[in-house]
Amino acid sequence: METTGKQPAKIITLLTDFGHQDPYVGIMKGVLLGLCPEAQIVDLTHEVIPYQIGQAAFLLEQSWSWFPAGSIHLVVVDPGVGSVRRPVVLQAAGHFFVGPDNGVFSRVPPGEVREIDIGASPASNTFHGRDIFGPAAARLARGHSFAVLGSIIQDPVRLSVEEKVVLHIDRFGNIITSLRSASHPGPITLRVGNAVIKRRAETYAEVPPGELFLIEGSSGYLEIALNQGSAAAFLAVAVGTRL
Amino acid sequence: METTGKQPAKIITLLTDFGHQDPYVGIMKGVLLGLCPEAQIVDLTHEVIPYQIGQAAFLLEQSWSWFPAGSIHLVVVDPGVGSVRRPVVLQAAGHFFVGPDNGVFSRVPPGEVREIDIGASPASNTFHGRDIFGPAAARLARGHSFAVLGSIIQDPVRLSVEEKVVLHIDRFGNIITSLRSASHPGPITLRVGNAVIKRRAETYAEVPPGELFLIEGSSGYLEIALNQGSAAAFLAVAVGTRL
Amino acid sequence: METTGKQPAKIITLLTDFGHQDPYVGIMKGVLLGLCPEAQIVDLTHEVIPYQIGQAAFLLEQSWSWFPAGSIHLVVVDPGVGSVRRPVVLQAAGHFFVGPDNGVFSRVPPGEVREIDIGASPASNTFHGRDIFGPAAARLARGHSFAVLGSIIQDPVRLSVEEKVVLHIDRFGNIITSLRSASHPGPITLRVGNAVIKRRAETYAEVPPGELFLIEGSSGYLEIALNQGSAAAFLAVAVGTRL
């Protein structure tokens, strides 16, 4: 592999709360391709609920390890943009993670974290995906050394992943909770508003329509489901609701 | 493989009912790029109504032939995942089609169909796009022979394409029916609930606002339209509704 | 052209009102990649409100300059498709712009405009993105000369950008107006329906929840915002509403 031109293009994945109607994702891609024309950009999702750091951490956890080693995962869910929260790069398990130091990387393995040195670059106060995180990801994609991006920090923000909370609601209205199925092998009772959910099923088919139940999802977390219905709509819960 | 670097990258198109809020499409792309870094991945749509095989077949029919010969079309609309339905690869008209043997390929030309040999691979029961179909598509993209993917089958599922049904509802609320315009050149009366639609128009402009009418869409199928309104909302029909 | 293989792939950006549920974007990408396999296609957004030329012009203005010189920006927001409006290519500020001559390029710098010579090509009356604009963009991406695409025209449509109108509503319900903040440095009063908005703020945080105010957005235009709420829903305005 002595000729880098024959190496596969570096992959940069994007995970944001920008949605699809605004031009922000496109602008970020323009910056990335301007700095690293060979980058292969992959959208994870841009439909994170605005500012839901915990949901972003969950979606990143589900996705990153399915990409080849060396991939760069850019996360821009950043309610603190313009404040003092630090821009960081994390190297862990052979992958790179770029984004704000607000806990979005709480569910990836720990590794070496560096605060991105923004020097005298003229960053806006509102769009660090374009001005700081994107350029840092592009530099990694071009082969720049991780070490030159900034100095190591010892105290990156890691959210408690033990809190009982709604991590995500999928397309079908299933409620993905923060409870790992493996950590709760026995009977369990969940209370959501006035509803009490006790039944635990192995498959959807074994539960009558209209009944709420718990099931281990493909992510390894316990999910609250409603056969042939949206558990999230029925229970009126949202991402971030405490359980 | 010294010459493959100069060939155009193989195109893999994706057609699913995964939506955009979950991480499934991103995960599938990670698997594809891990196995075939040169693949050029194109999203057809991920907004197929969950489990609507007939709609997926229609959308695939509209799209595949606009891609270059040799393209690989990966379809994951798979209500039977984890059951006995077979994973298949179809070679037809110089293109490849990968997905479940449930009728999603009913509207592409017939060709040679092989059941994907999954051997002892550890496939999940819930995500064959990641575990079976994606890897098969990536192998084709890397130039593996179609023949080695599995054995020929003679009885692939092909849905009747004669059924009168709503195939698709477009962004404007036009109802695309399964009736080919060319097969119904004369007067035609469609009954939907209490509404009777007789008028057939050549252009939208010739019909007063608020009146339902039939028109030949760009797809060659008869569409039920409502000038300056959503026919689908007005008639309260959905994809899959029988006519 | 023996060296072009080593140049970075040409970028083609897409800005349309096609949405994500229909196959049109995918079809256009098939055509582009068939004609120019090396093209790097980037979605700006496909969620322009149908036929809102002014919104498309705004979104293009926000995005194009973040891409490398030589990029090709394909805009298909085309209520006049099939009528006499001209298909055009604009070369300006080192970028190319391809689309209908209906004003979508009103907010990019003026430049040389050519009417695309469609010759005897069999274009549909309904999908010029596939039949005319896509092929023209692909020819530019392959290195064809701008001059051979058609003859110069002197009278391209440029909409008045002075009109007071709602250009865009972002994901958070902020109303982006056509008033440049720099052109209105002093006090300003906006009337929307029965509401009168006078307050001008520098940051969201300084305004109590529930109060409407004006703020300079990242785009340089004045935005009507509602702290912790959707100004657009509160005021019931839409893209295109006159102020």
Side-chain angles (χ1 to χ4, degrees), chain B residues 65-85:
Chain B
S65 64
W66 295 99
F67 285 82
S71 294
I72 299 149
H73 306 282
L74 181 50
V75 181
V76 192
V77 177
D78 193 14
V81 63
S83 74
V84 294
R85 69 95 191 89

Side-chain angles (χ1 to χ4, degrees), chain B residues 68-128:
Chain B
S71 294
I72 299 149
H73 306 282
L74 181 50
V75 181
V76 192
V77 177
D78 193 14
V81 63
S83 74
V84 294
R85 69 95 191 89
R86 297 169 295 192
V88 293
V89 186
L90 161 65
Q91 184 176 29
H95 289 241
F96 297 99
F97 302 85
V98 184
D101 182 34
N102 61 11
V104 288
F105 305 128
S106 297
R107 290 178 185 275
V108 295
E112 194 172 287
V113 182
R114 292 176 181 271
E115 179 174 353
I116 299 170
D117 180 6
I118 59 169
S121 71
S124 69
N125 276 327
T126 54
F127 196 176
H128 286 185

Side-chain angles (χ1 to χ4, degrees), chain B residues 25-234:
Chain B
V25 174
I27 289 170
M28 229 164 57
K29 291 181 180 175
V31 170
L32 290 168
L33 292 173
L35 295 170
C36 182
E38 308 78 31
Q40 199 153 14
I41 303 174
V42 178
D43 300 298
L44 293 184
T45 178
H46 302 292
E47 296 293 340
V48 172
I49 309 291
Y51 308 150
Q52 285 288 354
I53 294 168
Q55 184 189 26
F58 165 76
L59 292 169
L60 182 63
E61 179 189 29
Q62 298 309 301
S63 309
W64 71 268
S65 64
W66 295 99
F67 285 82
S71 294
I72 299 149
H73 306 282
L74 181 50
V75 181
V76 192
V77 177
D78 193 14
V81 63
S83 74
V84 294
R85 69 95 191 89
R86 297 169 295 192
V88 293
V89 186
L90 161 65
Q91 184 176 29
H95 289 241
F96 297 99
F97 302 85
V98 184
D101 182 34
N102 61 11
V104 288
F105 305 128
S106 297
R107 290 178 185 275
V108 295
E112 194 172 287
V113 182
R114 292 176 181 271
E115 179 174 353
I116 299 170
D117 180 6
I118 59 169
S121 71
S124 69
N125 276 327
T126 54
F127 196 176
H128 286 185
R130 177 190 68 194
D131 299 335
I132 295 175
F133 304 128
R139 289 172 74 190
L140 286 170
R142 292 185 63 178
H144 281 234
S145 156
F146 175 62
V148 303
L149 288 179
S151 304
I152 291 181
I153 63 173
Q154 303 293 350
D155 59 345
V157 173
R158 286 186 81 88
L159 304 176
S160 162
V161 295
E162 299 305 316
E163 194 189 19
K164 289 186 190 175
V165 71
V166 173
L167 288 180
H168 181 61
I169 292 168
D170 75 12
R171 192 181 192 197
F172 303 98
N174 299 314
I175 299 164
I176 291 96
T177 77
S178 59
L179 302 168
R180 284 187 182 282
S181 182
S183 310
H184 299 82
I188 181 169
T189 300
L190 270 186
R191 215 170 290 273
V192 184
N194 291 324
V196 177
I197 305 141
K198 287 185 175 183
R199 178 163 187 168
R200 193 157 170 172
E202 297 295 318
T203 68
Y204 280 73
E206 71 193 72
V207 182
E211 187 177 334
L212 290 163
F213 61 99
L214 294 164
I215 188 167
E216 178 177 340
S218 62
S219 55
Y221 292 95
L222 282 177
E223 302 183 10
I224 305 172
L226 182 67
N227 198 5
Q228 298 179 26
S230 165
F234 186 81

Side-chain angles (χ1 to χ4, degrees), chain C:
Chain C
M1 299 253 286
E2 64 267 59
T3 61
T4 55
K6 303 189 183 230
Q7 292 180 352
K10 276 290 174 59
I11 294 170
I12 302 175
T13 78
L14 304 183
L15 177 63
T16 78
D17 58 0
F18 292 170
H20 288 91
Q21 73 201 62
D22 296 322
Y24 306 124
V25 174
I27 289 170
M28 229 163 58
K29 291 181 180 176
V31 170
L32 290 169
L33 292 172
L35 294 170
C36 182
E38 307 79 32
Q40 199 154 13
I41 303 174
V42 178
D43 300 298
L44 292 184
T45 179
H46 301 292
E47 297 292 342
V48 172
I49 309 291
Y51 309 149
Q52 286 287 353
I53 294 168
Q55 185 189 26
F58 166 76
L59 293 169
L60 182 63
E61 180 189 28
Q62 298 309 300
S63 309
W64 71 268
S65 64
W66 295 100
F67 285 82
S71 293
I72 299 150
H73 307 282
L74 181 50
V75 181
V76 193
V77 176
D78 194 14
V81 63
S83 74
V84 294
R85 68 96 192 88
R86 298 169 293 191
V88 292
V89 186
L90 160 65
Q91 184 175 29
H95 289 241
F96 297 99
F97 302 85
V98 185
D101 181 34
N102 62 11
V104 288
F105 304 128
S106 298
R107 289 179 186 275
V108 295
E112 194 172 287
V113 182
R114 292 176 181 269
E115 179 174 354
I116 299 170
D117 180 5
I118 58 171
S121 71
S124 70
N125 276 328
T126 54
F127 196 177
H128 286 185
R130 179 191 67 195
D131 300 335
I132 294 176
F133 304 128
R139 289 171 75 188
L140 286 170
R142 292 185 63 179
H144 281 234
S145 157
F146 175 62
V148 304
L149 288 179
S151 305
I152 291 181
I153 62 173
Q154 304 293 352
D155 58 346
V157 173
R158 285 186 81 90
L159 304 176
S160 163
V161 296
E162 298 306 316
E163 194 190 19
K164 289 185 190 175
V165 71
V166 173
L167 288 180
H168 181 61
I169 291 168
D170 75 11
R171 192 180 191 197
F172 304 97
N174 297 315
I175 300 164
I176 291 96
T177 77
S178 58
L179 302 168
R180 285 187 182 280
S181 182
S183 309
H184 299 81
I188 179 169
T189 300
L190 270 185
R191 214 170 291 272
V192 184
N194 292 323
V196 177
I197 305 141
K198 287 186 176 185
R199 179 163 186 168
R200 192 157 170 172
E202 296 295 317
T203 69
Y204 281 72
E206 71 192 72
V207 183
E211 185 177 335
L212 290 163
F213 60 99
L214 293 165
I215 188 168
E216 177 177 341
S218 61
S219 56
Y221 292 95
L222 282 177
E223 302 184 9
I224 305 172
L226 182 66
N227 197 7
Q228 297 179 27
S230 165
F234 185 81
L235 292 172
V237 304
V239 170
T241 299
R242 286 199 172 70
L243 297 172

Side-chain angles (χ1 to χ4, degrees), chain A residues 154-206:
Chain A
Q154 304 292 351
D155 58 345
V157 173
R158 286 187 81 89
L159 304 176
S160 163
V161 297
E162 299 306 316
E163 193 190 17
K164 290 186 190 175
V165 72
V166 173
L167 288 179
H168 181 61
I169 291 168
D170 75 11
R171 192 180 192 199
F172 303 97
N174 298 315
I175 299 165
I176 291 96
T177 77
S178 58
L179 302 168
R180 285 187 181 281
S181 182
S183 309
H184 299 81
I188 181 170
T189 301
L190 270 186
R191 215 170 290 272
V192 184
N194 292 323
V196 177
I197 305 141
K198 286 185 174 183
R199 178 162 188 170
R200 192 157 171 171
E202 297 296 317
T203 68
Y204 281 72
E206 70 191 72

